[in-house]
Each structure stands twice: as C-alpha cells, then as structure tokens.
C-alpha cells in the first residue's frame, strides 16, 4: 500500500498527462462534439491554465455598461468584478465576448452557475453590437463571438437536458431553466 502511494506521488505528473491526453482524445471522438469543437485547442479548453488577470477588460466593460452591474443594472459601488458569463468552470478561456461587469453581490450569488434567459438575451444583444467587438479589437483583447456562442449553446443545452436550474438574482435566486434554446444562440451572420 505504501509503495503504491509512493509511486503515485513520484509519477503524479506523468499519470496526469496520460489521463488528460486520454480524456481529450475521448471527448474529441464523441460524434456530437466534433461539429461543436472544430479545430479548437481542446486540451487548453479542458485543462487550461489559471485565470489570467482581467484588469485590462474592466475599463472596456465600464465604458460599455456605464459602470453598472450587467445582472442587476445598479451602479457599481466599490470594486467591480469581471465575470465570465458562461462560467469559468464550464468554459476556462478568457475570450472578450464572454466577459461582463458585475458587482460583488451579483457575482457572489451567480458563482459558477449559468444565468437566466433575461441575462442571456442581454448578453447576446451586447455581443452583437459592432462597437463592442471594435472595443475588444482596439484593446487587443482576444475574442471569438462564434466560438463563445457555440460554447454557450452547448452549456445551456446540457443544463436543459439535465433539468438544471439557472441563476436569476440574489444569493439563492435559482429558477428552473427558462430558456427557449431554439434560436437564442444562433451564430451571427
């Protein structure tokens, strides 16, 4: 028993690499994932590095949202938070179209949950604005609206299939998924 623990500890990195590679291969070969994933760096998506600093995005979000919380629309007092609309736990990449500005209260209530349809609608509308994409370009913030929407579509479809709840407001503001998925996340032209 002690020898097994010793070997696991000694070869932890190698075992982790083997497991990650096998998982990426498994996920990539699932027929339903092939159209969604395309040529995406699946390993980075599944096992990406820690969150990068998001301060560079905060100013652009303040400008776009008037220093208001994306979720409750109240003026942000104190420190604002750059939130991943599709939670980092489901989409561990820092792409500009996935960011929203939130106050600490809403960010703490939403946590790693998907947001209710009312928020999704506003997020899609904001991401369709040419000035938003132009702002991301000006500040050289990586973005890909189509990829972001594909991942959002996948995440909401998984939630719908699993009968999950989504976050609407407050600390315990969970509701049943209220999303007419069909057409909500169509790719932009």
């Amino acid at each position: 028993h002690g020898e097994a623990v010793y070997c696991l500890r000694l070869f932890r990195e190698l075992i982790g690499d083997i497991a990650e590679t096998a998982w990426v291969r498994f996920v990539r070969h699932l027929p339903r994932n092939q159209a969604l994933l395309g040529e995406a760096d699946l390993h980075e998506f599944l096992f990406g590095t820690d969150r990068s600093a998001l301060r560079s995005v905060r100013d652009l979000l303040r400008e776009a949202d008037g220093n208001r919380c994306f979720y409750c629309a109240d003026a942000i007092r104190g420190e604002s938070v750059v939130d991943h609309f599709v939670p980092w736990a489901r989409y561990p990449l820092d792409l500009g179209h996935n960011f929203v500005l939130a106050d600490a209260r809403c960010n703490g209530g939403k946590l790693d949950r998907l947001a209710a349809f009312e928020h999704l609608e506003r997020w899609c509308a904001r991401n369709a604005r040419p000035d938003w994409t132009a702002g991301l370009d000006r500040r050289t913030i990586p973005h890909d609206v189509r990829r972001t929407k594909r991942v959002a579509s996948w995440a909401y479809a998984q939630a719908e299939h699993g009968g999950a709840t989504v976050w609407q407001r407050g600390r315990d503001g969970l509701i049943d998924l209220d999303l007419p998925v069909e057409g909500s996340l169509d790719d932009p032209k």
Side-chain angles (χ1 to χ4, degrees):
H1 179 216
E3 290 175 16
V5 171
Y6 170 78
C7 287
L8 285 172
R9 186 177 308 138
L10 181 65
F11 297 110
R12 175 185 59 84
E13 204 169 308
L14 176 63
I15 294 168
D17 288 346
I18 291 169
E20 286 179 7
T21 301
W23 185 249
V24 167
R25 187 172 42 249
F26 171 76
V27 170
R28 182 166 298 287
H29 289 337
L30 291 173
R32 291 188 65 187
N33 288 345
Q34 290 172 2
L36 173 69
L37 297 172
E39 296 301 314
D41 183 352
L42 187 57
H43 191 274
E44 182 182 336
F45 174 75
L46 292 171
F47 305 105
T49 57
D50 293 334
R51 295 182 196 198
S52 64
L54 300 177
R55 281 182 236 117
S56 63
V57 179
R58 187 172 291 142
D59 290 339
L60 179 60
L61 288 166
R62 281 185 182 136
E63 182 182 307
D65 297 334
N67 201 39
R68 295 193 168 279
C69 175
F70 181 83
Y71 300 111
C72 70
D74 289 345
I76 296 176
R77 293 169 187 47
E79 191 65 26
S80 59
V81 178
V82 176
D83 183 47
H84 290 79
F85 184 81
V86 176
W88 174 263
R90 295 174 190 257
Y91 184 34
L93 291 176
D94 288 334
L95 292 178
H97 288 98
N98 193 35
F99 297 134
V100 296
L101 195 66
D103 61 29
R105 184 176 38 90
C106 286
N107 189 59
K110 180 178 174 273
L111 297 172
D112 64 350
R113 300 177 182 113
L114 291 172
F117 182 66
E118 67 183 84
H119 304 303
L120 177 64
E121 264 187 326
R122 278 196 327 283
W123 179 74
C124 288
R126 193 270 325 256
N127 283 341
R129 291 183 3 219
D131 64 312
W132 173 244
T133 299
L136 294 169
D137 284 336
R138 268 193 321 277
R139 295 176 191 242
T140 63
I141 297 167
H143 61 87
D144 183 337
V145 71
R146 288 177 187 217
R147 184 176 185 185
T148 303
K149 287 182 97 172
R150 280 196 313 262
V151 170
S153 181
W154 170 82
Y156 278 92
Q158 292 298 311
E160 182 179 48
H161 178 72
T165 56
V166 293
W167 178 83
Q168 187 174 34
R169 281 194 178 57
R171 177 78 51 201
D172 298 315
L174 299 180
I175 61 171
D176 289 335
L177 185 62
D178 57 344
L179 166 70
V181 173
E182 308 293 318
S184 300
L185 289 163
D186 288 338
D187 273 342
K189 305 286 185 240

